[in-house]
Amino acid sequence: MSMDTRYDLVIRNVRMQERGTPVDIAITQGRIAEIGPTIRCEAIEEVDGNGAFAFPGFVDTHIHLDKACILDRCRICEGTLAEAVRETAEAKAGFQEDDVYERAASMVEKAISHGTVRMRTFVEIDPRAGFRSFAAIKRLREDYAFAIDIEICAFAQEGLTHEPETRDMLDQALINGADLVGGCPYTDPNPTAHIELIFDLAVKHGVDVDFHLDFSLNPAATNLPAVIAATQNRGWQGRVAIGHVTNLSALPAEEVAAVAGQLAEAGIALTVLPATDLFLNGRGFDRLVPRGVAPAHLLARHGVVTSIATNNVLNPFTPYGDASLIRMANLYSNVAQLSRTDDIGLVFDMVGSMAARQVRAPYGIAVGAPATIVLLEADGPDAAVREVARVVAGWKNGRKSFDNGRPRLMRPTSTLT
């Protein structure tokens, strides 16, 4: 391009692959207009990336904004899944719309500052929660659209078959702005019927499905075959995701490969939630505690779309967290004992490009694409995961949405004597 070319923004001196040659990214009207070394042009604004790694941002496929930051309202005595469900059910009966909004907003702002540009949040809708949390998250989705795209999953945490009014409430939520529907078969007296009811709603409204599934260390106690069958019977391939599936961690590699083949054929994606799965599983062991984290990297090698996500933050399911996906990717890599560069790159994809595939969202930095770009202080995706790279700044559709600044060492000044 000649110096006569004028762009809105040029982000200079960034890498787009591991230890790649630095390039410039030119942006106009919210889209990428040119990518190349030393672009010669005029620009309203120029930013020096200082060799940072540029990518399209993190995608959080599984988070619960409505029940974040409620540790002060709950007890954790057992540290079990049953206790977490019970304590949260009691707490959410007292949720108010503004309270949910405030807690969720604090978490969304952290996620944005950690480079997340899209998330799928589950919102519990039942007679105890009512529509209060749903109303709050809908407001939040609109208020933070300048920086992040939020997808709402109307979610039945505590079952359906024994509480038919929940089914009607999910139906109403899907009419009034929910993007997809989710269920939790292991909390229902009739898991198979629960699965079918969720698919009924999905087909009626033409939306995707996301299940919390098989949260135990017992491979024999599984609802996965019912989900696979329903997916294929309803023709919903490519539109179903499952989260947790921690019992896969108890299977030998050859059986994991067999399950992977079934998931890939049915077009079912899988999300692992390392922080929650580590905290709640293996409570009956006093030594050699099992990790309870599904081997997502093995599943991905067999063609399954996999992702790593946040799940819960600062509540009885997970009393830790800050919505940082690069930290979660690093945690998974440690738990899975990964070291090879190709495996670490795959883990980065699980919070990036593959996570975007799971939620069926556009993703990539290319000429003509939306200028949604995040800079990491790293040489590339491998270094980012290994080092828990610091997130520098981000743009959504060409507009800067956050800036964390750059660290400075304040060295003492020398004095003359």
Side-chain angles (χ1 to χ4, degrees), residues 110-129:
K110 286 183 179 180
I112 292 168
S113 72
H114 290 311
T116 298
V117 299
R118 177 179 291 273
M119 63 170 50
R120 171 179 290 178
T121 183
F122 294 80
V123 178
E124 295 185 23
I125 297 173
D126 57 34
R128 287 155 298 287

Side-chain angles (χ1 to χ4, degrees), residues 59 61 269 296 300-301 303-307 345-360 363:
V59 178
T61 60
R301 289 177 192 168
V304 181
V305 174
T306 57
S307 64
L346 185 60
V347 167
F348 188 85
D349 288 344
M350 290 185 207
V351 291
S353 59
M354 194 149 39
R357 282 179 60 195
Q358 179 172 323
V359 298
R360 302 202 294 153
Y363 191 86

Side-chain angles (χ1 to χ4, degrees), residues 411-417:
R411 298 184 183 278
T413 56
S414 60
T415 58
L416 296 177
T417 59

Side-chain angles (χ1 to χ4, degrees), residues 16 20 41-42 75-76 97 110 134-135 151 160-161 177 179 201 247 395:
M16 293 181 60
C41 66
E42 291 187 3
R75 297 173 299 171
I76 302 179
E97 182 178 333
K110 286 183 179 180
F134 181 49
E151 187 178 54
L160 281 174
T161 61
D179 300 292
L201 287 167
N247 59 4
W395 293 258

